[in-house]
Amino acid sequence: MGSTLRTGRTRSRATALAACAAALAALTAVPAQAHEPERRVPHWELKDTGTPETRFRGLAAVSRTTAWVAGTGGTVLRTTDAGATWRNVSPPGAGELQFRDVEAFDARRAVVLAIGEGEASRVYRTDDGGATWTESFRNTDPKAFYDCLAFFDHRHGLAMSDPVDGKFRILSTGDGGRTWKVLPDRGMPAAQEGEAGFAASGQCLVTSGPKDVWLATGGAARARVLHSTDRGRTWTATDTPLPAGDPARGVFALAFRDRTRALAVGGDYRPDQPSPRAGARTADGGRTWRPATAPPPAYRSGVAWLPHSRTAALAVGPTGTDLTTDGGRTWRTVDTGSYDTVDCTPDHGCWAAGEKGRVARLEH
């Protein structure tokens, strides 16, 4: 499911494929000459959230009309009218928390993750569109720091923490996030010195299918992706060609189109540092990763496949949005606005979110 769960499709597959093809054609079209009719090229259209002080790194796109965002100051917003209006549905008393991930099953049910050391890492769940929340997990281990959430279906999901006693810690739920338990770490390979996840976009832990999950890392000598085929009980680790060797470098986001083909983006998040080799791809489920021949030109923290496309995806970061139409081999910048995370839905609803309360939807 990647970083969000979706419910149903509102168009037939044939209609969806046709619409996607039209959108891709517009994105890659040569700009119209002055004497030609104006072309409507897909672009990010900002939606006023009324929260310019908030940075939204958590995003759950449910459909073209419904989306959730979560961010600083314990803020959670929800829209059900394509971003025309936003309802502040933040959990009471969460003003000191930093929400970095949100997973939504639909317009009413969602799970949010607060990050930080010790008790700052928490999980909340709502079943009524954010009218009420239940705190379903509070970390009590001062050595743990949770970064990301991901769900396989409406019941089964995982959360991941930076290494505790030399291994990444995995939290598991089998009831939709109402209760959680720490999984045994016997099947987790040892972490590298300084290795951790990046709570930058809610995309450092992603799933595909009923049991496969991948975890992205950085901060160490090698930027790695860890893969589990049994819902987080045993893992294998693979090196990637993304920048490494510094606490600010690594893999920041993953997007799996299916169980075998995926994209990885990242780099160095410091604005004064270059990020060569900021993109990679795999065609074998993450066993091997190949660098992009023309990668994103700068650090990117979020990535998502365009709906019903086998080759097109968007990557976002503080300096812009990049598009690939060849499965991650080459990327080109199509927008220079600042976004931290991106998510798309089967009914062609692509959303992005980031600093200064910025939330946008891809308009055609």
Side-chain angles (χ1 to χ4, degrees):
M1 296 275 180
S3 64
T4 323
L5 293 168
R6 287 109 186 177
T7 55
R9 299 185 180 184
T10 59
R11 302 180 183 183
S12 69
R13 180 169 179 79
T15 302
L17 288 171
C20 186
L24 288 176
L27 275 170
T28 57
V30 176
Q33 300 300 319
H35 64 278
E36 293 179 341
E38 182 180 357
R39 295 178 180 175
R40 293 186 297 172
V41 177
H43 62 281
W44 290 124
E45 182 175 290
L46 284 169
K47 307 294 183 179
D48 184 10
T49 64
T51 57
E53 73 288 350
T54 305
R55 187 165 196 163
F56 293 115
R57 293 184 183 272
L59 167 66
V62 176
S63 68
R64 281 187 57 79
T65 57
T66 300
W68 300 67
V69 289
T72 54
T75 305
V76 180
L77 305 183
R78 185 194 63 155
T79 183
T80 56
D81 57 10
T85 60
W86 294 85
R87 180 183 175 190
N88 188 327
V89 296
S90 306
E96 300 300 317
L97 299 179
Q98 306 293 314
F99 289 128
R100 293 295 181 91
D101 201 356
V102 55
E103 304 294 319
F105 306 114
D106 50 41
R108 296 184 62 79
R109 299 175 295 163
V111 179
V112 295
L113 172 72
I115 62 100
E117 296 178 350
E119 293 191 3
S121 285
R122 306 179 194 179
V123 178
Y124 293 81
R125 179 189 164 100
T126 183
D127 290 296
D128 54 14
T132 61
W133 293 87
T134 300
E135 182 184 308
S136 58
F137 172 76
R138 182 180 296 204
N139 174 51
T140 57
D141 189 333
K143 294 179 289 186
F145 186 116
Y146 285 84
D147 299 295
C148 289
L149 286 169
F151 277 81
F152 302 94
D153 51 44
H154 290 171
R155 295 175 53 205
H156 301 93
L158 302 176
M160 57 81 65
S161 163
D162 291 340
V164 176
D165 297 329
K167 293 184 177 181
F168 283 94
R169 174 168 289 181
I170 303 297
L171 199 64
S172 175
T173 180
D175 55 13
R178 294 178 178 86
T179 61
W180 298 84
K181 64 178 180 179
V182 175
L183 293 182
D185 66 2
R186 292 186 297 274
M188 177 68 72
Q192 304 172 84
E193 183 178 355
E195 192 172 24
F198 290 109
S201 61
Q203 295 178 323
C204 60
L205 185 73
V206 300
T207 65
S208 181
K211 293 185 178 181
D212 284 271
V213 58
W214 294 263
L215 187 163
T217 83
R222 303 182 307 280
R224 303 195 298 175
V225 172
L226 281 63
H227 178 209
S228 170
T229 61
D230 55 9
R231 291 184 181 162
R233 295 189 177 275
T234 60
W235 298 78
T236 56
T238 302
D239 294 347
T240 75
L242 268 70
D246 187 276
R249 299 174 186 163
V251 182
F252 282 73
L254 300 169
F256 273 78
R257 195 189 73 201
D258 49 43
R259 293 182 64 247
T260 59
R261 298 186 182 277
L263 304 170
V265 299
D268 190 319
Y269 69 74
R270 294 171 295 189
D272 61 339
Q273 296 295 316
S275 290
R277 309 184 315 279
R281 68 190 193 279
T282 182
D284 56 13
R287 288 191 294 272
T288 60
W289 292 86
R290 303 173 65 183
T293 54
Y299 156 70
R300 295 294 181 251
S301 55
V303 63
W305 292 94
L306 288 177
H308 310 292
S309 174
R310 297 178 62 84
T311 58
L314 295 171
V316 299
T319 62
T321 298
D322 306 311
L323 169 72
T324 179
T325 57
D326 55 14
R329 292 175 177 81
T330 62
W331 297 82
R332 67 181 182 90
T333 301
V334 294
D335 184 270
T336 57
S338 175
Y339 299 103
D340 292 312
T341 186
V342 60
D343 195 18
C344 297
T345 64
D347 67 344
H348 301 280
C350 283
W351 297 78
E355 63 181 339
K356 299 179 180 179
R358 289 168 59 91
V359 178
R361 192 182 73 163
L362 194 65
E363 301 292 342
H364 302 288

